[in-house]
Amino acid sequence: MRALQALANEQQLSISDMQDRHDNPDVLQDLLEIDHANAQFGRRAQAIAVLCGSWPGRQRAASPLVDVVRGATSRIRDYRRVNVHSRVDMDVVSRAVEPVVLAVAELLDNAARHSQPNTSVEVGIQPAHNGVSIVVDDAGVGMEALETEEAARRLSGQEHIDINRLSDPPQFGFALIGVLAARYGFTVSVDSQSPYGGVRAVLFLPNALINRVRFTGPPIPLQGASTPGAPQPVSLGAPEAPAVRDTAARPGSVTPPVLPRPAVESSAGPEAEAARSSTVGGLPKRRRRTTQHEAAVDPATPTPSAPSLVRPAAETASRMSAFARGTRSGRDATPDSEGTSQE
């Protein structure tokens, strides 16, 4: 299995090199399909190696939990049927990234294989006090009581795994997850029913395996737009800047300037209006003109939401083709420009 896993990694490098050299959208689309099939092959070899007593064989940096779930989705055949709903700002620690990817991939593959092709697999991420849970719901056939008990024994990681006794053809999924859960300290359960009539699988990561590096709090209200009776904020932050976890002032930090509130015009008489529009000496004051762009923009108009980032494979291949052509033309133009400058 180690030899097969090494061959899968070499083939992955060859596919990546071909993706960099070719700019035909049709060729790139075929390469993406080959890349996906190779990822599934590498996952199977990796799973059997772990069941034989080896380690996952890959070391990754700490990654956001959403990226971990997406990485697991990319390693199964029916990845188009998986819908990831929740998003949390948590990172999985480095040593647990690859094991969690393998475990979630097996749960997703099991849910997709035991449900009809026209159904979807719903994935939710639920933060908890002691960690975070990844919930996988399918609309499949469900599990009988005996199957649930056998799955619980394998997922506990306490049962000795004999590959020769994993039925025919062998079913590695729950056995692999149990080995990884016992090694790295997370838990998996499949003893509840999903809202769609299938199986609900829950993978729970304790706080020891995650980093709560970010905090998603409520948006900071702008000055002049807060609710009546609420304290006004001291300063204005950038609208797109994320809220930091520590609100105390830090050395070297720059506090945004406090913007003045717009003056509220009162319904006074002509004398008051003339006094505001002239100086003490009686000279007229210059007023700032409103540009056409400022007059056209209405702050009360809601901004349309950003379009969805999900693209079909053909569009992805076309974008990669355009990027490859531009990169190649830039490299081809470099020697000519250097020769011209020397002459």
Side-chain angles (χ1 to χ4, degrees):
M1 288 300 103
R2 279 300 184 201
L4 294 179
Q5 190 176 351
L7 291 175
N9 293 335
E10 292 180 5
Q11 185 168 270
Q12 177 67 43
L13 295 177
S14 300
I15 295 173
S16 300
D17 181 66
M18 293 179 65
Q19 291 176 348
D20 294 337
R21 290 187 288 106
H22 294 278
D23 55 3
N24 190 330
D26 296 332
V27 175
L28 288 176
Q29 184 174 357
D30 295 339
L31 288 176
L32 291 176
E33 295 179 358
I34 298 175
D35 189 7
H36 182 225
N38 184 73
Q40 299 176 64
F41 169 71
R43 177 176 64 87
R44 292 301 181 88
Q46 195 175 11
I48 300 176
V50 171
L51 286 177
C52 293
S54 181
W55 297 91
R58 289 183 178 181
Q59 183 69 23
R60 300 182 181 273
S63 303
L65 184 57
V66 176
D67 292 346
V68 171
V69 176
R70 290 175 178 171
T73 305
S74 65
R75 299 190 189 185
I76 69 172
R77 180 185 298 273
D78 299 322
Y79 66 94
R80 294 184 180 91
R81 295 168 52 193
V82 179
N83 298 324
V84 182
H85 297 285
S86 304
R87 296 186 179 183
V88 295
D89 291 326
M90 298 180 184
D91 287 354
V92 181
V93 297
S94 175
R95 64 185 181 87
V97 170
E98 190 65 20
V100 174
V101 169
L102 283 177
V104 175
E106 292 296 336
L107 293 177
L108 295 176
D109 184 70
N110 185 72
R113 287 179 180 270
H114 292 83
S115 57
Q116 296 183 0
N118 59 343
T119 60
S120 61
V121 178
E122 309 296 330
V123 182
I125 303 175
Q126 179 62 43
H129 177 72
N130 297 323
V132 63
S133 297
I134 303 174
V135 183
V136 180
D137 289 320
D138 64 66
V141 296
M143 299 175 62
E144 300 292 338
L146 294 178
E147 295 176 344
T148 303
E149 293 178 2
E150 183 180 0
R153 288 196 303 268
R154 292 184 179 180
L155 291 173
S156 64
Q158 306 299 326
E159 183 181 14
H160 175 70
I161 301 299
D162 186 0
I163 296 181
N164 298 323
R165 297 182 179 179
L166 295 179
S167 68
D168 187 17
Q171 299 177 359
F172 300 120
F174 289 160
L176 169 66
I177 296 174
V179 172
L180 294 174
R183 287 184 184 179
Y184 293 93
F186 58 87
T187 59
V188 180
S189 62
V190 292
D191 54 357
S192 57
Q193 186 179 16
S194 74
Y196 315 104
V199 176
R200 164 168 286 187
V202 181
L203 187 149
F204 179 75
L205 294 174
N207 288 329
L209 298 181
I210 59 175
N211 293 327
R212 301 177 185 267
V213 295
R214 305 178 192 89
F215 174 76
T216 53
I220 301 177
L222 299 179
Q223 276 189 330
S226 58
T227 56
Q232 296 293 335
V234 178
S235 61
L236 288 175
E240 299 297 334
V244 295
R245 182 178 180 182
D246 187 6
T247 57
R250 299 181 180 180
S253 61
V254 179
T255 304
V258 179
L259 300 182
R261 293 189 180 183
V264 180
E265 296 184 0
S266 60
S267 55
E271 294 81 5
E273 180 67 24
R276 285 198 303 266
S277 60
S278 59
T279 62
V280 180
L283 298 177
K285 290 184 178 180
R286 307 181 72 179
R287 294 187 177 182
R288 181 177 179 271
R289 297 181 179 179
T290 303
T291 61
Q292 183 178 2
H293 175 71
E294 293 176 347
V297 177
D298 186 5
T301 304
T303 304
S305 58
S308 176
L309 298 180
V310 180
R311 305 187 182 96
E315 184 179 352
T316 303
S318 178
R319 290 174 178 267
M320 294 178 61
S321 173
F323 179 77
R325 287 196 302 268
T327 306
R328 184 181 298 107
S329 62
R331 287 196 295 263
D332 295 341
T334 302
D336 297 337
S337 61
E338 291 179 355
T340 304
S341 60
Q342 290 177 359
E343 292 176 359

